[in-house]
Amino acid sequence: GQTGAVACSYLIVTSGRTGSSLLAHALARTGVHGTPDEHLAVPDVDAWAERLDVASPLTGGSMRTYLDALRAATATPNGAFGTKLHTAALATVTRALAREPGAPEGSAALLRWAFPDTAVVWSRRHDRVRVAFSLWQARATEAWARPADAPRAPAPDGDPAPPPHDEISELHRLLHVTDVSVRALLDRAGMPVHEVVYEDLVARWDDEVLATRRFLGEHDARGPVPPPTLARQSGDRTDALVERWVAATGGCPACGQAARPTGADVLTSPP
C-alpha cells in the first residue's frame, strides 16, 4: 500500500467545540498523519516552547523557529506533520509571524509563508447555536473535554444558573462571522481545504474520518477507524437551554434552530 508514503503537512482549523479534538485524536492514532495537538492555542504555546527548548513566540521568540521545532518533534516517522489552529489564535499567530524578518504583508500571505505546501482540514459545525452553548459552558466550568470511558461528573447541587440569552446571542453571532471570514482567509491563502462538519462526523464517523485521511494523502485508507476518544458533554439540560433561547429569540433557521410556529401562526400564514 501507499499509507507509509503519506507525508502531508496540514492544519486543523476550528472555532472550537466542533469535534476537532475527536478528529485530531483519530488522525494521530493512524501513525501516519503526525500528532496534531493544541500547539498554537495561546494557553499552551509557552509550555510547548519550553518542552521544545526554544523561545516562546508569545514573548519575543521566533514563530517560524517554534514551528520548525514542532515539525521536528511531532511529525510521524514518514514526515507527516499536523497541528490545530483555533480561529481565536489566528490573530496572535499572524502578529507573531509579521515580526519575522522578510515576512510578507497580510494574514493570507503570512499563512502561506509559514505553512508552505500545507492543507487545511476545516472543522466546523452546522448548528452554531449549540456551539455557543458549548463554548459558554466550557468556559464557565473549565471542563473542555471528557474521555470516552470516564463517567459523567455528578450534577451540581441545585439548578445552576443558565447562561444569559444576550451572551449566547453574541457568541452565536460571532461564530457566524468567524465561519465566513476564516473560510475567506483560507481561500485567499490558496490552501487546499477539506471540510469536516460535526453533525456528519458523529453520524458517519468511519466515512468522515476515512475521507479526511484520503484528503491528506492516504489514498488507500480503509477501516477499521479508531473510535472516538472523547465523550459527548451536552445532555438533556443543554437541550432545554437551547429550547429556551430559541423561544426567547426566535432562534436561527440557518443553524436548524428556529422557533416553531404556533397553531395560530400556521392557520394565518400565507401559502
Side-chain angles (χ1 to χ4, degrees):
Q2 298 298 313
T3 54
V6 174
C8 182
S9 176
Y10 65 98
L11 296 173
I12 300 177
V13 177
T14 175
S15 56
R17 321 311 291 169
T18 64
S20 61
S21 291
L22 295 177
L23 189 59
H25 291 188
L27 293 173
R29 292 172 71 187
T30 67
V32 294
H33 291 294
T35 50
D37 207 334
E38 307 285 346
H39 308 125
L40 298 174
V42 172
D44 301 294
V45 171
D46 289 341
W48 271 103
E50 183 177 359
R51 188 183 310 180
L52 298 168
D53 196 25
V54 297
S56 170
L58 300 185
T59 54
S62 165
M63 177 61 80
R64 296 189 83 194
T65 298
Y66 175 71
L67 291 172
D68 288 343
L70 272 179
R71 291 185 181 97
T74 68
T76 38
N78 62 335
F81 167 72
T83 189
K84 288 177 68 175
L85 178 57
H86 285 270
T87 56
L90 256 172
T92 300
V93 170
T94 53
R95 276 198 302 269
L97 289 169
R99 295 195 301 264
E100 302 272 349
E105 293 185 4
S107 296
L110 286 167
L111 285 179
R112 277 198 310 270
W113 184 61
F115 300 98
D117 302 317
T118 297
V120 171
V121 177
W122 175 218
S123 175
R124 67 178 187 87
R125 192 166 179 169
H126 174 69
D127 188 347
R128 299 167 187 87
V129 173
R130 283 191 172 272
V131 178
F133 275 93
S134 184
L135 279 171
W136 191 95
Q137 180 71 15
R139 290 172 181 174
T141 63
E142 296 187 356
W144 291 90
R146 181 167 66 91
D149 56 354
R152 188 180 293 275
D157 293 335
D159 187 18
H165 287 165
D166 58 345
E167 290 188 27
I168 293 297
S169 296
E170 179 61 10
L171 273 173
H172 168 252
R173 184 189 70 81
L174 290 173
L175 287 163
H176 273 282
V177 171
T178 297
D179 273 8
V180 173
S181 60
V182 171
R183 183 55 198 260
L185 172 65
L186 297 175
D187 289 344
R188 292 199 308 274
M191 304 170 87
V193 176
H194 172 70
E195 288 195 5
V196 179
V197 179
Y198 173 81
E199 287 84 355
D200 296 335
L201 183 65
V202 296
R204 299 186 296 276
W205 171 259
D206 287 3
D207 291 344
E208 293 296 316
V209 175
L210 284 172
T212 304
R213 290 165 62 184
R214 289 166 183 157
F215 168 75
L216 295 175
E218 194 184 352
H219 301 298
D220 62 346
R222 295 179 178 84
V225 172
T229 54
L230 298 174
R232 183 173 180 262
Q233 290 183 277
S234 62
D236 292 343
R237 180 173 184 270
T238 302
D239 295 342
L241 290 173
V242 170
E243 288 181 8
R244 285 160 62 180
W245 180 85
V246 169
T249 65
C252 176
C255 291
Q257 295 287 0
R260 297 178 181 176
T262 64
D265 291 334
V266 172
L267 291 174
T268 58
S269 295

